[in-house]
Amino acid sequence: ALHAMSIELTSTLDDATVSDMIVRQSTGLMGCSMSLLYRWSESAGAAKLIASYAAPGSNNSDKPQVPQQLNHTLSSMRTELSTRRPFTISQREQTAPVADEWDSISQGQPLIGMSLCGSQMPQHVLVLLANDGGEFWHTHDLDLLENYAGQAAAALENAHLHQRLELAATLEERQRIAAEMHDGLAQNLSYLGLKTDRAAQSLEGGNVHEVLDEFGQIRTIIGRTIQDVRRSISSLQSAPTPRQSLYDALRAAIEAIDSVDSPGVELIDEANAATIYPPADQLDHVVRVVAEALTNACRYADAQHINISIARAEDDLIITVADDGKGFCLHAPETKSAGHFGLSIMRARAARIQGNLAVESAPGQGTSVTLTWRETSGSMTADAASLTPDRAAMTAVYSIESVDPKNGALT
């Protein structure tokens, strides 16, 4: 029976479902009339009811007076709970505040309590109510409950950790989207506003050629923004994939712009980039910087050849995109053209990964864009990166630690 219950408990990582399973299974296992599961809340300073189950046909099956919160019981039983062994409670053994909490359901029947503890989750308390006229459970019953409690605690902790991982992943994704909107969409819209104002000023002055030039640059930025939005939508809709190496990601960026009219692009790898797997958010910013540099070289520089070199200097990774195009004056206002404006977005992306962007250019002498950033501890080996997020989650092992016998605190 315990084996079948264990299989059912491990069939889901949903916290509420696991809690409902525990009260239902424990009721049948111990042959009691009701099971209650409480979770300790640090903010409330009490144990709150999270699941309950009454055996069909028992006097408690339709009884609503279940304590929703234990203010006194848990603190009074701290010693018993810290032993991680089942303990029996009778009405005559309870202090007045504790008795009041249970009087609505116990009606003098014996109760049994069991602590469910884990190293990464709040303490839980499972309380079982005997059948009408029942007596204290026997030793073998308590041993059976203790064995079951270990399985229940492991299932609760796995569900709790899964919930925390989901929350962390959600927050990380929100931060990524916010950064993406700030560095891309927000700056593009700001630039469009500036160009619209300039077009209006030129129109008032009767400078038709300047108006057409401004409109051309506005159309370029609109096209870029549409591409960025589509790329973001695609990334949100696509299924999780294994992490890419730095080399593969850059190769994909080169292939994305490759066409008959594009200049030749050579990728020079001096850092063995095929074995470097940066964190996904960091890699995304790196690739976007390189893609922007490639786009500028292809659209505005009239370059015939582009070199992308990858190098390493101690803990720093360095990528340089150099072209033989017409270059530009570094001191010209960045709002002068769409290509110059892209530099501000590239610098913002470099800042996101605590990196540095250096640009060297002069009219007629080509352009060199160098991104330098520190390789973080989040980088992975090729073997580890081959795991998809689902497979990686399956490799996690959750252990149940002990409770400090002095105060019941998790250790």
Side-chain angles (χ1 to χ4, degrees):
L2 283 177
H3 178 67
M5 291 179 180
S6 177
I7 293 176
E8 185 180 14
L9 284 173
T10 56
S11 66
T12 179
L13 288 173
D14 180 70
D15 183 74
T17 302
V18 171
S19 299
D20 289 339
M21 285 182 181
I22 290 174
V23 293
R24 177 174 51 81
Q25 290 180 350
S26 59
T27 299
L29 181 68
M30 300 302 293
C32 58
S33 63
M34 179 178 283
S35 293
L36 308 171
L37 183 62
Y38 290 86
R39 175 181 294 157
W40 177 254
S41 171
E42 291 292 344
S43 59
K48 293 186 176 182
L49 180 70
I50 60 172
S52 64
Y53 179 80
S58 68
N59 290 339
N60 297 290
S61 59
D62 57 353
K63 201 163 189 178
Q65 301 91 349
V66 175
Q68 299 298 306
Q69 182 168 297
L70 302 183
N71 297 306
H72 305 287
T73 303
L74 194 60
S75 58
S76 67
M77 300 175 182
R78 181 63 71 178
T79 301
E80 290 87 345
L81 291 171
S82 66
T83 64
R84 299 177 64 185
R85 284 278 300 167
F87 56 93
T88 56
I89 314 164
S90 69
Q91 195 74 11
R92 62 180 178 274
E93 293 173 337
Q94 296 171 5
T95 62
V98 177
D100 291 340
E101 288 182 338
W102 290 111
D103 185 59
S104 61
I105 64 167
S106 67
Q107 297 181 344
Q109 299 176 48
L111 304 170
I112 186 171
M114 182 69 206
S115 175
L116 307 180
C117 297
S119 61
Q120 301 293 327
M121 72 173 185
Q123 186 176 37
H124 291 67
V125 181
L126 180 63
V127 178
L128 308 177
L129 178 65
N131 283 312
D132 295 344
E135 298 180 354
F136 290 122
W137 283 270
H138 299 290
T139 302
H140 68 273
D141 294 322
L142 301 182
D143 291 339
L144 181 63
L145 178 60
E146 184 177 1
N147 290 333
Y148 173 76
Q151 299 176 0
L156 279 172
E157 180 158 44
N158 283 349
H160 177 71
L161 291 176
H162 178 72
Q163 188 178 47
R164 290 175 57 185
L165 287 172
E166 283 190 325
L167 177 60
T170 300
L171 292 176
E172 181 180 1
E173 183 65 10
R174 287 180 178 179
Q175 292 175 348
R176 186 192 69 80
I177 294 173
E180 184 65 29
M181 293 180 67
H182 175 273
D183 296 343
L185 183 60
Q187 293 206 41
N188 285 349
L189 291 175
S190 176
Y191 179 75
L192 288 173
L194 293 174
K195 301 304 287 182
T196 302
D197 292 340
R198 290 176 63 107
Q201 293 173 2
S202 298
L203 184 61
E204 290 175 357
N207 299 320
V208 178
H209 293 293
E210 289 186 8
V211 172
L212 293 177
D213 182 61
E214 297 292 348
F215 280 170
Q217 295 184 37
I218 288 173
R219 190 66 188 88
T220 298
I221 293 299
I222 291 175
R224 175 189 297 173
T225 304
I226 292 173
Q227 288 183 341
D228 288 345
V229 171
R230 286 175 176 171
R231 186 187 298 112
S232 297
I233 293 174
S234 177
S235 67
L236 291 174
Q237 293 177 334
S238 61
T241 57
R243 284 164 66 167
Q244 278 187 303
S245 70
L246 180 59
Y247 183 88
D248 289 340
L250 294 179
R251 175 56 63 186
I254 294 173
E255 293 174 355
I257 66 154
D258 190 23
S259 68
V260 176
D261 298 329
S262 297
V265 180
E266 182 180 1
L267 182 59
I268 304 171
D269 182 10
E270 299 176 350
N272 197 14
T275 64
I276 300 173
Y277 287 80
D281 58 338
Q282 184 185 86
L283 182 62
D284 181 65
H285 287 299
V286 170
V287 172
R288 295 292 186 92
V289 169
V290 172
E292 182 69 26
L294 284 173
T295 298
N296 289 342
C298 293
R299 291 183 179 177
Y300 312 113
D302 295 331
Q304 300 301 309
H305 191 79
I306 304 172
N307 283 338
I308 302 178
S309 63
I310 314 170
R312 185 195 297 274
E314 297 182 351
D315 294 331
D316 290 339
L317 290 171
I318 305 169
I319 294 180
T320 299
V321 180
D323 66 66
D324 59 358
K326 59 185 180 182
F328 62 93
C329 179
L330 287 173
H331 303 293
E334 291 195 357
T335 56
K336 185 66 176 176
S337 70
H340 287 195
F341 170 73
L343 291 176
S344 65
I345 297 180
M346 295 163 69
R347 291 193 178 99
R349 293 192 182 282
R352 292 285 182 189
I353 58 175
Q354 288 76 52
N356 178 67
L357 188 78
V359 180
E360 296 181 4
S361 185
Q365 299 184 24
T367 301
S368 174
V369 178
T370 300
L371 174 65
T372 303
W373 79 99
R374 181 64 53 91
E375 184 177 12
T376 66
S377 57
S379 299
M380 300 172 63
T381 63
D383 291 338
S386 66
L387 293 176
T388 63
D390 288 341
R391 290 181 60 201
M394 292 172 61
T395 64
V397 178
Y398 305 138
S399 61
I400 305 300
E401 301 295 335
S402 62
V403 176
D404 190 330
K406 294 182 179 179
N407 55 22
L410 298 177
T411 61

